[in-house]
Structures are given as structure tokens and as C-alpha cells.
Amino acid sequence: MTISAIIFDFDGTILDTEWSQYESVSREFRRHGVEYDLELFRSYVGRADHPHWSELLQGLIGERHDIDEICERRMKAHHDLIEATDIRLGVVDLMNLADRNTLPLAVASSSPLEWVDGHLTRRNLRDRFVTVATRDRVANAKPWPDVFLLAAAELEISPSECLVIEDSTNGVTAAKAAGMTCVAVPNPITVGSDFSHADLVLDSLADFRAEAFGLVPI
């Protein structure tokens, strides 16, 4: 296998924004005496074509509450939780490994560009990526392959020579549909999901072994 580029998912892979998303939304559900189903949220991870959580909450509590106020409070809690979150273990090491092997890096995400670029910039990571392919730049988000194919095109690398790092079932599905090799690294939300279609599943990117992909270790 020839690896000529590495493409990272963002949410839950580079930064665990998925736990903060679930926790901050769950707080609002609990505030109104209802629960946000973890399995339902897990099925949404990695894709954009699903109901917004506020629609689900409103359906449970009725329209007597100010949803805009609820969403504003939830978003602040979400960002506060994210700011207290470290870059996931092994991510920077893999970026350094890519540099050692002169492999260009990209991000392919089902989130919008403003969200991904903003967080990468705040963590001083944006300059490490040649391109950021996001849902607002393609016709279809994951589990369709569009964002991965866009990333490969902008890297000018064949999809078959791209190694993808993903955390969700939907993300792995999209990467494999793009014809790419995919390593799944679950996070606390996606652990236990079906990753049987991934080429490799790791508990952590700290367990990534360069030699397994024909790369020169640091």
C-alpha cells in the first residue's frame, strides 16, 4: 500500500467536540425534565442530515419555551467544555510523522468551514493542513464520500493513496466509499460502534505504527 497523504476527520478525531456536544445538549434536556438518548446521538455522529437537537427538545417540551435562549445557553456551555479539552492523544505525533515522511495533510469534516477553521486556528493547527474540506463546500456530507474526494482533489493525490483517520461509523463509510484506507480511532461517544468496515481500529492514535503503512518512523 502506498500512502501519499493523510486526511483527518475533525470533530471527535482531532478535538473531542462530540462529548462536549452531547454533554451540553443533555444538560438542556435534563433542565426540562427529559433525557437525550445517547444511542440516537451516536447515530448522528459524523453526518449532517439529521434533526437539530433543539427540534427534538421542542417536540418533547412543547413550544412554550424560548428555544433561541436555550440554544444560546447551550452553545456557550459547549464552547466552554471544548476550551477545557486537549487535542486528542497521538494527533500531533501523527502530524509530525507526516512531516517526517513529507506527506501533506487535510481535514474532511461534516461540520461547516467556519467551525473547523476556527477551532484549528485557536489550537495553532490550521497551518499544518493544506486544505479543509467541509460540508458547506460539497453537495453531500458524510456518509457520502464528497468531502474526502474534495480533500484528495485539492491535495492532488489519488484517493487510493490517502490514509483517513476517523472516529465514527458514518465517517468510515464515507472514507471507504471514496476508495481510501481508513483507520478508526473511537472516542468516548463512538466507542462500541460498528467499525468492521475500517481497515484498522486503534484505541488511540498513540498506538499508530508507521511501519504498518510503509512509513518511516520519527
Side-chain angles (χ1 to χ4, degrees), residues 165-214:
I165 310 299
E166 264 288 353
D167 73 301
S168 72
T169 295
N170 291 314
V172 174
T173 298
K176 296 308 295 179
M180 299 178 179
T181 300
C182 187
V183 174
V185 187
N187 59 51
I189 290 290
T190 60
V191 66
S193 300
D194 180 10
F195 292 111
S196 58
H197 51 326
D199 295 282
L200 178 66
V201 181
L202 298 175
D203 291 334
S204 165
L205 265 183
D207 298 327
F208 186 92
R209 295 295 173 260
E211 298 88 342
F213 296 92

Side-chain angles (χ1 to χ4, degrees), residues 66-215:
D66 186 339
I67 290 296
D68 288 341
E69 180 182 334
I70 291 171
C71 287
E72 183 177 349
R73 182 173 59 225
R74 199 287 310 184
M75 183 58 77
K76 181 181 184 307
H78 187 24
H79 279 288
D80 288 346
L81 289 168
I82 292 172
E83 286 306 307
T85 301
D86 293 329
I87 297 167
R88 290 197 71 198
L89 186 64
V91 167
V92 173
D93 289 339
L94 184 54
M95 292 178 184
N96 293 339
L97 177 67
D99 289 346
R100 170 76 173 83
N101 287 267
T102 63
L103 303 180
L105 298 174
V107 170
S109 172
S110 286
S111 290
L113 183 61
E114 181 180 12
W115 172 263
V116 179
D117 253 359
H119 284 297
L120 290 175
T121 299
R122 278 189 288 276
R123 297 301 176 113
N124 297 314
L125 295 176
R126 180 60 186 88
D127 290 345
R128 304 200 70 166
F129 297 98
V130 174
T131 187
V132 175
T134 51
R135 76 181 189 205
D136 43 354
R137 301 187 60 213
V138 295
N140 299 294
K142 302 169 191 178
W144 288 270
D146 301 34
V147 288
F148 287 115
L149 294 174
L150 175 60
E154 294 189 339
L155 290 172
E156 299 183 344
I157 301 291
S158 168
S160 64
E161 296 182 12
C162 294
L163 174 65
V164 171
I165 310 299
E166 264 288 353
D167 73 301
S168 72
T169 295
N170 291 314
V172 174
T173 298
K176 296 308 295 179
M180 299 178 179
T181 300
C182 187
V183 174
V185 187
N187 59 51
I189 290 290
T190 60
V191 66
S193 300
D194 180 10
F195 292 111
S196 58
H197 51 326
D199 295 282
L200 178 66
V201 181
L202 298 175
D203 291 334
S204 165
L205 265 183
D207 298 327
F208 186 92
R209 295 295 173 260
E211 298 88 342
F213 296 92
L215 303 177

